[in-house]
Amino acid sequence: MKKKMLAVLFAAMMVCGVAGCGGTEEPAKDAQETAASAKEAEMLAYLKELPAEIPVENAVAEGFFTIKDGAVAGGQEAWDAFLTASENGEEASVVLCQYTQMDGAVLDYLYYSAETGYLLATDETRGGFEENEEEERDYFYTRSYEVLKTFDDFSLQEGGTAYDICVLTNEPEMDEDTFRTYWIEMSIEAHQTMLLYVI
């Protein structure tokens, strides 16, 4: 689908060039989308090469920001470095590894560059899902976002424990109150807001 959209955009740009409509905004946008698409493919390929089972110790050894039983098991330095670099507009990436209650690892590969914004590739195949014999299911997917925010004054309750959260969103003005409304009353997907991790 993305290839078809890019082909249509390219054709439209060619028509504009012939007609003399001028401007550089569309070619720049096309290049940005191409760069993002290529990076997303690279991120997914990396996740798919990882082993089916990743013990906590291995995730920590790989340098992943690893969360287990509501606490950081390792990789805090990698997460801090990512935040610092991305806030400064520098290219950066980090892999987040969060273990589910079923002991399966859910991996999020987060990348940032000034050119593409925030890109997220998620692999939920290790998250304790059972295989569907009748239909092949793919739990790898990518999304793009504009803003990453950590909410210090908002927490989710799970099992009696409160967790601070971090979200990716395409709404730059997103705040704790708005997110709380989305989380409780509405679909997060519909508002292009992603709960990145809980801790």
Side-chain angles (χ1 to χ4, degrees):
M1 180 60 73
K2 286 186 178 180
K3 289 183 178 179
K4 291 181 179 179
M5 291 176 65
L6 288 174
V8 171
L9 285 173
F10 182 74
M13 287 158 41
M14 292 294 291
V15 170
C16 285
V18 173
C21 62
T24 59
E25 185 174 341
E26 284 301 320
K29 182 178 180 180
D30 184 57
Q32 183 179 23
E33 291 179 353
T34 300
S37 180
K39 186 61 184 180
E40 287 176 348
E42 176 186 322
M43 293 161 68
L44 283 178
Y46 172 76
L47 290 178
K48 290 179 179 181
E49 288 178 358
L50 294 175
E53 295 184 8
I54 304 178
V56 174
E57 298 78 12
N58 292 24
V60 172
E62 288 288 338
F64 300 161
F65 181 44
T66 307
I67 300 169
K68 169 74 172 174
D69 296 329
V72 175
Q76 183 69 54
E77 300 84 359
W79 176 248
D80 292 340
F82 175 83
L83 290 181
T84 299
S86 60
E87 288 171 0
N88 291 333
E90 302 170 0
E91 182 179 21
S93 64
V94 65
V95 175
L96 312 177
C97 181
Q98 181 167 260
Y99 286 84
T100 68
Q101 292 180 348
M102 298 180 69
D103 240 12
V106 175
L107 302 178
D108 293 302
Y109 185 153
L110 182 59
Y111 170 80
Y112 172 83
S113 77
E115 183 179 20
T116 65
Y118 291 94
L119 300 178
L120 180 73
T122 294
D123 170 14
E124 294 184 344
T125 59
R126 300 169 180 80
F129 295 100
E130 295 181 0
E131 293 185 6
N132 186 331
E133 296 180 358
E134 298 179 358
E135 179 182 358
E136 181 179 353
R137 299 187 295 180
D138 188 355
Y139 289 103
F140 293 88
Y141 56 86
T142 62
R143 296 193 181 109
S144 60
Y145 300 89
E146 295 178 15
V147 180
L148 180 150
K149 292 188 175 184
T150 300
F151 293 154
D152 297 325
D153 299 326
F154 178 87
S155 62
L156 296 175
Q157 293 283 339
E158 182 177 339
T161 302
Y163 298 91
D164 294 334
I165 68 165
C166 178
V167 299
L168 290 164
T169 178
N170 288 328
E171 300 182 29
E173 302 305 317
M174 176 69 68
D175 58 20
E176 285 89 339
D177 290 338
T178 303
F179 181 80
R180 182 178 289 106
T181 300
Y182 287 175
W183 179 261
I184 296 173
E185 300 178 2
M186 306 178 192
S187 166
I188 292 178
E189 293 292 335
H191 296 276
Q192 299 184 47
T193 302
M194 173 72 178
L195 173 64
L196 187 59
Y197 71 91
V198 295
I199 181 172

